[in-house]
Structures are given as C-alpha cells and as structure tokens.
Amino acid sequence: MRASEGEGHGDGAEREGGPGAAVAVGVRRLTRRLRGWGGVSAMAAACAVTAAAVLVPLARATPDTARPVTVREPASMVAAPAAPADTCQDPDASLRPSGLDGASIARIKAAGKLVAGVDQNSFRWGYRNQSDGGRLDGFDIDLVKAIAQDILGDPNAVIYRAVPTSQRIPALQEGRVDIVVRTMTINCKRLEDVAFSTAYFEAGQQVLAPKGSPITGYDTSLKDKRICFAAGSTAEATLKAQSYNSVPVTVPNQLDCLVRLQLGEVDGIITDNALAAGQAAQDPSVQLVGSPFTREFYGVAMNKDSADLVRRVNKVLENYRAGGNDSPWMKSYLKHLQPVLPGVAAPPPPKYRDG
C-alpha cells in the first residue's frame, strides 16, 4: 500500500510492510490493554492484528500525555556481548565533511527531492503527530529536513518512505532511498553493506517489560521468557550471542513487539532505550528494567558508493551540532526527546577517518 509522497508539503510517506486484515477478537483484546495510551478511541480505528505481526501507530497516542522516564547510565558495559562481527576499529568514524557536489548530490538535485527512509511509528523519533494534522514529526525527521535544506535549499523537499527495520539496508542497496534516518545503530556488520555518517545520538539496549514482571533486566531472569526483537536489529545480534535461555520472538518492526507485549503474546522486549523510553512514557503498564547494557551510536545510513553524500551529510551534522545549547541539535532534543529521555547534555562528538 502506498500513500501520497507529500508533494508540496514533504510530509507524506510511502508505507512498506503494512499490516494485514484486522481480526475482531485481537482488536477487542488490544483495546482492553491500551487504556494508558492517551485515548483508546484515537487508536482503535488504526488497529490491525495478524498471525504474523501486529502493528498500531504510536502516533495515535496523545503526545502531550507522555511522562518523563529516567534512564540510568549503564551499570556495566562489559555485561553486553559484542555482536559477532563487531571487530573493526572505530566503526563510528566516518569520512571528513565536505560541501562539494559529486554524482550522488547531483542526482538528488536533478530529482529535486531527497528520498529518505524513516520510521513513522516511533514516538518522538519518527511518528505521525496527530496534534499537527498527522504530519511526520520527531528528532529523526528534523535531521532529514536539515539535510534537505542544505542540499536543495528547502527543508520540505523530501519524499519520505516508511521502511521496516529489516528493510533499511536493502532500501539503500536497491536505490529506493537516498538516506536512512531511522534510529539506526552504526556497527561493523552494517558497514559491510552501507556507509554511515558520524554519530548523531548515543543510546544503549535495555529491557522493556510489564510492571510487576519477574524480569529484572538483561540477565538470568530472561530464562524461558518470550523476548521480542525486530529482525535486523542490534538486539537480534545481542540475543544470538547471549540469550540467557530466553525464547526469541522476531517481528519486522520494533513497534510490533510493543503490541505483542500488550497482548500478552511476549514477556519482554529488548531494544534501544531511546526508543523504549518513548514507549514506556506512553503506556503506564510497561517500564524499562535494569540498566542499559550496550553503548550504541545512531548514524545516517547511505549507499556505500555515495561518498560525496556521506561527506555532505557530515558537513550538515557539523553545523547541526554547533552552537551548544542554541544548536539545532539541542533545540530538537529539547522539543522531542527531553520529555522522555532526560539528562542528555550534548550530541556525541564526531570521529573522522581518511580514505
């Protein structure tokens, strides 16, 4: 199913991996579980339940009802096993910034639009803001607009394409998008397939579980518990390395895990705490447990052959970080993330490499 590409407004999104037909009994069960989401009636029409996955747009919750969630510093980074392929040095080091045009920039300018792969269901990151007419909004969306402004002189000269977690890399390799800005962690395995900008946010994996659950964090309390994660996510690699004898449940999108948790079909979720904090703020029946147990950096992903675009995005990020508390980065953080992920003082400093 495809929606408008948002010509003239830049807020339309082509949707990929949509839900299947609704099942009445699943909708009734989900409605009973979603009483903390800022209004059940606002989301019921969007609910779809399938045997393979369940998807409910987070944007249906009222953003103003989000409660702050304190996210603790990692108790011990060594508790988290490294992904098997993460053996390269400084994966978050990227090409040095440049404003020069190359083949990729010329192609984007000729098209007159930047094609961006984003999420439209991650509250505060990339979601449809119902208080703003359903427009795409969030921390990642602000960054996309800054890139479009620099390359095309218009922050709204964007075609947004909603891509599932597992399709972020194929979308770039197949040329369906120019960039992916979708809470995508930079790691060595992914660097084999795509290129990344410098880091624009630091996060860590953490466990999300219902209140009152015996799960206490990423530890032996996961034994025999059904733990959900998105295919192609860093959580998948983490659990493959150390599962604590949990039962893995894989879904296409991380949001599907939250709905399965609300339906009682899984016992917990492992995902980035930056995403989980927004979900816990919306739904009072779930909470982050334990501490973050990895240190991960989000980057803008691009095709490996688009070195000029990588350098240009890094130039945009240099300007985006500049200005301290008055920087575009900090203004976006305060607007979107500070209410649910407080205590972040600054963006991660960039690392560069030659070649």
Side-chain angles (χ1 to χ4, degrees), residues 78-146:
V78 297
D86 282 356
T87 56
C88 63
Q89 186 174 7
D90 292 328
D92 52 322
S94 185
L95 297 174
R96 296 189 182 279
S98 172
L100 297 177
D101 288 2
S104 299
I105 300 294
R107 175 177 49 76
I108 292 169
K109 286 185 173 180
K113 294 283 186 179
L114 175 70
V115 185
V118 298
D119 199 350
Q120 61 177 2
N121 297 302
S122 290
F123 184 48
R124 301 285 183 175
W125 288 93
Y127 71 105
R128 294 198 168 274
N129 189 343
Q130 300 307 307
S131 65
D132 189 27
R135 291 176 182 266
L136 281 170
D137 199 5
F139 189 81
D140 281 347
I141 304 303
D142 282 357
L143 180 52
V144 171
K145 290 179 178 179

Side-chain angles (χ1 to χ4, degrees), residues 151-169:
I151 296 175
L152 297 167
D154 180 359
N156 295 315
V158 181
I159 295 174
Y160 293 102
R161 288 184 175 160
V163 292
T165 305
S166 61
Q167 288 299 304
R168 293 176 296 189
I169 289 175

Side-chain angles (χ1 to χ4, degrees), residues 292-307:
F293 52 89
T294 63
R295 190 177 186 187
E296 303 182 8
F297 296 95
Y298 295 159
V300 179
M302 290 153 280
N303 191 285
K304 288 193 74 171
D305 296 329
S306 299

Side-chain angles (χ1 to χ4, degrees), residues 104-306:
S104 299
I105 300 294
R107 175 177 49 76
I108 292 169
K109 286 185 173 180
K113 294 283 186 179
L114 175 70
V115 185
V118 298
D119 199 350
Q120 61 177 2
N121 297 302
S122 290
F123 184 48
R124 301 285 183 175
W125 288 93
Y127 71 105
R128 294 198 168 274
N129 189 343
Q130 300 307 307
S131 65
D132 189 27
R135 291 176 182 266
L136 281 170
D137 199 5
F139 189 81
D140 281 347
I141 304 303
D142 282 357
L143 180 52
V144 171
K145 290 179 178 179
I147 296 169
Q149 173 65 48
D150 185 87
I151 296 175
L152 297 167
D154 180 359
N156 295 315
V158 181
I159 295 174
Y160 293 102
R161 288 184 175 160
V163 292
T165 305
S166 61
Q167 288 299 304
R168 293 176 296 189
I169 289 175
L172 286 166
Q173 293 177 323
E174 295 165 12
R176 286 182 274 146
V177 297
D178 300 314
I179 61 175
V180 168
V181 187
R182 195 187 183 284
T183 58
M184 190 169 179
T185 299
I186 306 167
N187 63 33
C188 300
K189 179 63 177 176
R190 289 173 178 168
L191 283 169
E192 296 175 3
D193 300 312
V194 297
F196 279 100
S197 69
T198 54
Y200 68 86
F201 200 85
E202 181 178 344
Q205 291 180 49
Q206 198 166 353
V207 180
L208 189 70
K211 290 182 177 178
S213 167
I215 296 175
T216 57
Y218 182 65
D219 53 35
T220 55
S221 66
L222 298 181
K223 183 180 179 181
D224 298 328
K225 299 296 189 295
R226 299 163 297 176
I227 303 300
C228 190
F229 54 85
S233 67
T234 51
E236 181 177 29
T238 297
L239 279 175
K240 282 183 178 179
Q242 173 58 276
S243 70
Y244 287 109
N245 294 314
S246 60
V247 179
V249 178
T250 310
V251 296
N253 276 302
Q254 195 276 330
L255 179 61
D256 300 343
C257 283
L258 181 62
V259 180
R260 285 183 177 270
L261 185 66
Q262 293 167 323
L263 290 171
E265 296 176 354
V266 298
D267 302 303
I269 301 168
I270 291 183
T271 187
D272 298 347
N273 62 349
L275 293 173
Q279 295 170 4
Q282 286 181 280
D283 185 349
S285 71
V286 301
Q287 63 181 354
L288 288 160
V289 295
S291 297
F293 52 89
T294 63
R295 190 177 186 187
E296 303 182 8
F297 296 95
Y298 295 159
V300 179
M302 290 153 280
N303 191 285
K304 288 193 74 171
D305 296 329
S306 299

